């Protein structure tokens, strides 16, 4: 491509400081270095982790930054030593790397990797090195990805090549939330056919966990949320029973124990709240109940398989998307999420 080896100036939503709206800026994106790829981001969904970094965690060393980590795009150019990718490849950026060489990657019990942004400054959620500059200042790359930018640069261990026929504005959801929830049921909890499950929290991760429980053959899936408006959507993904903790004057774990003769076989907490985690754990039957908090996918291996499962109509993605917006509407998209009015908003970052 004509831009290969050159600095690209493009649009990005920059978070200059915590607890303030993002600003649309022109940023400079440097060419990829050794083992890196530069990606044109086509679509990026808004995840609560982006919102958390900006409005809740607010780590002073984590700014200025370009947020976004649940996306899909096309490889624009590659740096020296890159053999796995070439310009034109359709890809999904990964916030969990997979080098396939370290002791973690070679161990089937974990999906962690010794390489990637999380190896340093995990608390800041960004490595010190970045290929972004704006107004002469270095801008950090969030979780090694930064997809609220028309272009980003990533290490090849954090990129998955996908089927080029897959719609990028749908499969972008597989970069985080859907794989996390679905994998929590299928990989980590290893939900069994005929089992009874409870999913706490019916955001995108929770609905994906419901879908995973159904995929694994669970016979009864309790969807638990304080917002009953979410129950209809949970039904679409396979939930069979619905519980609102506000409807009971006793702990929801006691209600579930009563309904299931002692507790569910698998409970999945998809809220990230300590009290909810406790309810999930207490709802699992003693002895063999499993409570899971993460998806467990080996990223480079698992994400392309999930894309294929979507193309084969074995998993749903379209049903998660409640809003579509432009990059210029990014602050509005965050507001919609804050108010709990969306499951997933997909941002159109640049034309394909």
């Amino acid at each position: 491509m004509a831009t290969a080896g050159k600095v690209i100036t493009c649009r990005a939503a920059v978070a200059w400081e915590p607890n303030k709206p993002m600003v649309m800026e022109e940023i400079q994106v440097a060419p990829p270095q050794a083992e890196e790829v530069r990606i044109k981001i086509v679509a990026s969904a808004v995840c609560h982790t982006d919102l958390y970094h900006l409005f809740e965690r607010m780590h002073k060393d984590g700014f200025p930054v370009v947020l976004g980590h649940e996306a899909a795009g096309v490889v624009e150019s590659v740096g020296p030593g890159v053999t796995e990718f070439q310009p034109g490849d359709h890809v999904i950026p990964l916030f969990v790397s997979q080098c396939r060489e370290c002791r973690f990657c070679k161990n089937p019990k974990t999906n962690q990797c010794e390489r990637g942004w999380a190896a340093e400054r995990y608390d800041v959620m960004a490595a010190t090195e970045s290929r972004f500059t704006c107004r002469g200042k270095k801008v950090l790359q969030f979780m090694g990805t930064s997809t609220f930018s028309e272009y980003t640069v990533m290490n090849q261990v954090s990129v998955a090549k996908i089927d080029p026929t897959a719609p990028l504005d749908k499969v972008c959801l597989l970069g985080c939330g859907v794989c996390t929830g679905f994998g929590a049921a299928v990989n980590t909890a290893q939900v069994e056919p005929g089992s009874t499950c409870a999913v706490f929290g019916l955001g995108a991760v929770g609905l994906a966990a419901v879908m995973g429980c159904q995929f694994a053959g669970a016979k009864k899936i309790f969807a638990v949320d304080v917002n009953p408006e979410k129950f209809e959507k949970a039904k679409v993904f396979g939930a069979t029973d619905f519980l609102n903790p506000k409807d009971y004057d006793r702990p929801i774990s006691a209600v579930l124990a009563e309904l299931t003769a002692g507790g569910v076989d698998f409970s999945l907490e998809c809220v990230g709240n300590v009290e909810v985690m406790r309810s999930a754990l207490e709802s699992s039957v003693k002895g063999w109940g499993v409570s899971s908090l993460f998806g467990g996918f080996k990223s480079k291996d698992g994400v392309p398989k999930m894309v294929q499962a979507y193309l084969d109509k074995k998993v749903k993605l379209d049903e998660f998307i409640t809003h579509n917006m432009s990059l210029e509407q990014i602050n509005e998209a965050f507001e919609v999420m804050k108010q709990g009015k969306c499951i997933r908003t997909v941002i159109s970052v640049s034309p394909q």
Side-chain angles (χ1 to χ4, degrees), residues 36 93 111 122 149 176 199 218 220 244 265 267 322 340:
E36 293 180 342
N111 64 346
Y122 186 84
S149 169
C176 181
V199 176
K220 220 169 181 43
N244 180 351
D265 301 308
S267 70
T322 51

Side-chain angles (χ1 to χ4, degrees), residues 61-83:
D61 295 331
F63 297 86
V65 66
V66 172
L67 297 171
H69 64 284
E70 189 175 291
V74 180
V75 173
E76 173 269 339
S77 61
V78 302
V82 174
T83 55

Side-chain angles (χ1 to χ4, degrees), residues 112-124:
Q112 298 300 297
C113 174
E114 290 183 326
R115 295 181 63 187
W117 70 275
E120 61 158 322
R121 304 205 327 156
Y122 186 84
D123 56 333
V124 180

Side-chain angles (χ1 to χ4, degrees), residues 29-332:
V29 183
Q33 304 300 305
E35 297 188 16
E36 293 180 342
V37 296
R38 188 160 59 185
I39 303 165
K40 179 186 181 182
I41 299 296
V42 172
S44 181
V46 178
C47 172
H48 189 269
T49 307
D50 303 308
L51 187 141
Y52 171 78
H53 185 77
L54 185 59
F55 293 111
E56 296 171 37
R57 187 174 182 82
M58 301 191 296
H59 196 295
K60 63 179 174 60
D61 295 331
F63 297 86
V65 66
V66 172
L67 297 171
H69 64 284
E70 189 175 291
V74 180
V75 173
E76 173 269 339
S77 61
V78 302
V82 174
T83 55
E84 196 178 336
F85 302 95
Q86 58 187 26
D89 283 346
H90 286 211
V91 294
I92 289 179
L94 307 167
F95 70 92
V96 176
S97 53
Q98 186 187 354
C99 70
R100 298 193 172 115
E101 294 169 359
C102 73
R103 59 188 175 133
F104 293 148
C105 283
K106 288 180 176 177
N107 189 325
K109 294 179 182 176
T110 180
N111 64 346
Q112 298 300 297
C113 174
E114 290 183 326
R115 295 181 63 187
W117 70 275
E120 61 158 322
R121 304 205 327 156
Y122 186 84
D123 56 333
V124 180
M125 300 185 83
T128 49
E129 200 171 356
S130 172
R131 300 285 171 255
F132 294 159
T133 53
C134 181
R135 302 188 200 176
K137 293 180 181 175
K138 178 173 76 173
V139 177
L140 298 174
Q141 287 187 243
F142 183 64
M143 297 174 77
T145 52
S146 286
T147 57
F148 296 153
S149 169
E150 290 180 304
Y151 288 87
T152 192
V153 177
M154 299 186 62
N155 192 292
Q156 63 177 347
V157 301
S158 301
V159 181
K161 190 191 297 188
I162 62 168
D163 188 317
T165 65
L168 298 178
D169 62 341
K170 303 294 190 295
V171 296
C172 60
L173 270 61
L174 295 172
C176 181
V178 172
C179 280
T180 298
F182 187 87
V186 175
N187 299 330
T188 311
Q190 296 183 357
V191 168
E192 297 164 358
S195 61
T196 303
C197 303
V199 176
F200 291 75
L202 300 175
V205 175
L207 291 172
V210 169
M211 180 169 70
C213 291
Q214 185 194 45
F215 181 88
K219 71 165 187 229
K220 220 169 181 43
I221 304 167
F222 290 91
V224 184
D225 201 290
V226 294
N227 182 356
E229 290 178 12
K230 294 181 177 179
F231 293 159
E232 206 53 47
K233 184 66 91 168
K235 201 176 197 175
V236 171
F237 289 100
T240 58
D241 297 79
F242 310 91
L243 297 173
N244 180 351
K246 289 182 177 177
D247 292 342
Y248 301 92
D249 56 5
R250 62 195 190 281
I252 200 69
S253 55
V255 176
L256 278 162
E258 199 175 284
L259 292 169
T260 57
V264 297
D265 301 308
F266 301 94
S267 70
L268 297 106
E269 188 280 323
C270 301
V271 180
N273 175 292
V274 174
E275 285 303 312
V276 181
M277 287 181 201
R278 181 174 175 173
S279 291
L281 286 164
E282 289 174 347
S283 301
S284 302
V285 68
K286 287 183 178 68
W288 64 79
V290 176
S291 192
S292 168
L293 300 174
F294 191 65
F297 277 107
K298 294 274 193 185
S299 57
K300 283 172 87 81
D301 297 338
V303 169
K305 288 176 184 171
M306 284 292 285
V307 169
Q308 193 56 52
Y310 167 71
L311 292 174
D312 293 342
K313 296 186 167 43
K314 291 177 181 174
V315 301
K316 295 177 168 70
L317 290 179
D318 303 44
E319 291 81 357
F320 287 95
I321 301 167
T322 51
H323 297 71
N324 289 277
M325 297 187 186
S326 68
L327 188 56
E328 282 75 15
Q329 294 174 291
I330 189 68
N331 290 310
E332 186 184 332

